[in-house]
């Protein structure tokens, strides 16, 4: 189950309430970014989305000597 912007609220609630031991009031006072920071996942590797892929393709086009596209 996901909510606005694709957030998995049940998983976020489990992480905040069970893993971090937050009270419901403390959990709901946090932003998703604050919760992510508290869980230590703020710097975790994220998937490469189409914008990132497009930027990489523009920076490093698939060409070889004598066979440019």
């Amino acid at each position: 189950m996901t909510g606005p912007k694709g957030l998995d609220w049940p998983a976020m609630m489990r992480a905040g309430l069970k893993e971090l031991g937050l009270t419901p009031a403390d959990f709901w006072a946090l932003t998703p970014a604050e919760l992510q920071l508290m869980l230590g996942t703020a710097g975790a590797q994220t998937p490469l989305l189409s914008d990132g892929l497009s930027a990489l393709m523009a920076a490093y086009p698939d060409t070889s000597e004598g066979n440019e596209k």
Side-chain angles (χ1 to χ4, degrees):
M1 175 201 285
T2 59
K5 295 186 182 182
L7 297 176
D8 186 351
W9 287 106
M12 292 178 72
M13 290 175 68
R14 277 191 301 278
L17 301 174
K18 289 192 171 206
E19 290 180 36
L20 296 176
L22 298 171
T23 65
D26 289 338
F27 172 82
W28 289 112
L30 295 171
T31 65
E34 290 169 329
L35 179 62
Q36 188 175 30
L37 181 66
M38 291 176 74
L39 290 168
T41 58
Q45 190 173 18
T46 58
L48 182 63
L49 302 177
S50 60
D51 289 342
L53 179 59
S54 296
L56 280 174
M57 290 172 64
Y60 304 100
D62 285 337
T63 60
S64 60
E65 285 185 37
N67 187 23
E68 294 194 23
K69 292 181 180 181

